[in-house]
């Protein structure tokens, strides 16, 4: 099923959003490498945990941006076309995010 703003199981983010997400993910990737290096250097556990918490927060920020775009784009489009199943999918998605 092809929709105007969103094809089934594929997203279409504006270029500026995509660039922002990629920048954030690149930063997170660097944080992960930093954490690995901290463990290799036997850095104090509390300092490593602090960096892990910061990385988790950064990932949550990416998820929030994606969720907002999904709701405003894909979910709204599918609801306008009468597809009520998107609501069940959205609930499952939110439950996955809340497990953390």
């Amino acid at each position: 099923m092809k929709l105007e703003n969103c094809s089934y199981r594929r997203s279409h983010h504006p270029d500026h959003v995509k660039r922002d997400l990629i920048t954030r993910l690149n930063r997170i990737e660097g944080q992960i490498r930093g954490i690995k290096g901290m463990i290799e250097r036997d850095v104090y556990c509390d300092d490593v945990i602090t960096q892990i918490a910061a990385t988790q927060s950064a990932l949550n920020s990416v998820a929030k941006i994606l969720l907002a775009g999904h709701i405003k784009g894909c979910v709204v489009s599918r609801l306008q076309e009468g597809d009520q199943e998107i609501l069940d999918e959205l609930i499952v998605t939110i439950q996955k995010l809340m497990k953390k």
Side-chain angles (χ1 to χ4, degrees):
M1 168 188 336
K2 190 136 180 143
L3 301 171
E4 187 174 313
N5 294 333
C6 183
S7 63
Y8 189 70
R9 305 305 291 175
R10 188 163 181 192
S11 63
H12 297 281
H13 302 286
D15 287 340
H16 73 280
V17 172
K18 204 180 290 189
R19 281 191 304 272
D20 178 51
L21 291 170
I22 290 169
T23 297
R24 289 170 182 264
L25 290 169
N26 286 338
R27 194 173 307 126
I28 292 165
E29 187 177 23
Q31 287 176 295
I32 296 293
R33 282 193 304 273
I35 292 167
K36 180 181 173 191
M38 292 173 80
I39 291 171
E40 291 170 343
R41 293 187 313 275
D42 295 320
V43 171
Y44 186 60
C45 298
D46 189 58
D47 295 335
V48 176
I49 291 167
T50 298
Q51 289 305 310
I52 290 170
T55 303
Q56 287 172 328
S57 178
L59 274 172
N60 287 339
S61 292
V62 169
K64 288 176 192 175
I65 292 167
L66 286 169
L67 182 60
H70 181 57
I71 291 169
K72 292 177 181 179
C74 299
V75 173
V76 168
S77 293
R78 287 176 61 183
L79 283 172
Q80 287 172 342
E81 293 199 359
D83 182 0
Q84 296 294 310
E85 290 177 18
I86 188 65
L87 295 176
D88 292 330
E89 178 185 295
L90 179 60
I91 290 167
V92 170
T93 299
I94 291 170
Q95 288 171 340
K96 287 177 188 175
L97 287 173
M98 292 177 73
K99 283 184 182 179
K100 300 173 180 167

